[in-house]
Amino acid sequence: AHDAEGGKLLWVVDDAHQGGVTSLVLSHNGKFLCSGGEHGEVRVWELRTRQMVLHLKQHTMAVTCLQIARDDEHLFSSSRDRSIICWSLVQGVRTRSLVQKMGGINCIALHPDGLRLLSVGQERKITYWDVREGKPLQSQPLPGEQLAIALSADGALYATGGTECLLRLWDFATGELIAEGLGHSSAIRSLAFSPDGRQV
């Protein structure tokens, strides 16, 4: 962790994952941090003590993305093994699993309602899920592989980026492309909306 203003190193968790940390997400209450690793493990850390409080292992390949529901009780993890797993952080167990037919999943974005989810991956599609269903609701083909996806805080918009170096902005309700921008000279690997939803 670093100080946000000056960049000063505040603390380090050594050897958090064998093979390396591949994803991170902070809880909404700011009390804990979840990490995903190269070997498919998901770990939950208490921020105050930096101690591991949960160790979850179901994925067979690297964890690519983590998302926490607004209640801080459910965690979603995606992996190159084509699956998205929902975990109960209260009970420390898997509650459901969503599986894609082909291609590893690169990134997921959880809608604020906690029931809908978007994913992008190696199959070059944006896939829509209802987390209560095991199979995708629908998918939308794209010309290139997308590595990142993010939803605005109100759930109205989402953005994608990937190997084409293009940032695309979409309407969540209709799936229509709103805008497209070229600014990077290499693949876009991560995306985030500002809290007010006016910047990506």
Side-chain angles (χ1 to χ4, degrees):
H2 294 264
D3 177 73
E5 293 192 10
K8 179 185 174 186
L9 180 65
L10 300 176
W11 50 263
V12 175
V13 177
D14 289 316
D15 304 316
H17 285 268
Q18 185 181 0
V21 178
T22 54
S23 51
L24 286 172
V25 67
L26 185 67
S27 65
H28 296 91
N29 62 16
K31 292 182 178 179
F32 61 92
L33 176 76
C34 300
S35 62
E38 188 68 40
H39 297 295
E41 295 164 321
V42 175
R43 292 176 172 171
V44 182
W45 311 82
E46 186 184 21
L47 271 185
R48 187 176 53 84
T49 62
R50 264 87 73 191
Q51 295 296 307
M52 183 169 63
V53 292
L54 269 180
H55 176 246
L56 309 164
K57 176 73 169 90
Q58 292 270 324
H59 289 296
T60 57
M61 296 177 76
V63 176
T64 54
C65 189
L66 296 168
Q67 294 274 289
I68 296 181
R70 284 190 172 175
D71 60 9
D72 284 331
E73 293 183 6
H74 295 92
L75 171 72
F76 293 84
S77 60
S78 65
S79 170
R80 286 286 181 152
D81 66 9
R82 300 183 293 112
S83 72
I84 300 166
I85 294 176
C86 176
W87 307 90
S88 166
L89 295 176
V90 177
Q91 299 170 312
V93 296
R94 182 182 81 175
T95 58
R96 65 185 72 93
S97 180
L98 314 175
V99 181
Q100 189 164 268
K101 281 187 179 180
M102 293 179 66
I105 297 169
N106 293 332
C107 194
I108 55 174
L110 183 65
H111 193 273
D113 64 16
L115 299 176
R116 292 175 288 175
L117 188 137
L118 297 172
S119 70
V120 291
Q122 294 173 310
E123 85 299 353
R124 300 186 174 196
K125 293 177 182 176
I126 301 168
T127 305
Y128 295 74
W129 304 82
D130 182 316
V131 300
R132 298 161 295 187
E133 305 284 335
K135 294 179 180 177
L137 297 175
Q138 65 184 65
S139 59
Q140 188 168 320
L142 285 173
E145 182 178 349
Q146 304 304 297
L147 304 174
I149 189 165
L151 264 158
S152 60
D154 61 4
L157 304 171
Y158 66 92
T160 59
T163 55
E164 308 156 286
C165 317
L166 286 171
L167 173 76
R168 292 185 176 98
L169 189 66
W170 307 82
D171 183 288
F172 181 86
T174 64
E176 288 181 18
L177 181 65
I178 297 171
E180 196 172 78
L182 179 63
H184 292 284
S185 58
S186 189
I188 297 171
R189 300 193 172 274
S190 187
L191 286 169
F193 277 85
S194 60
D196 64 7
R198 298 179 71 179
Q199 292 177 303
V200 182

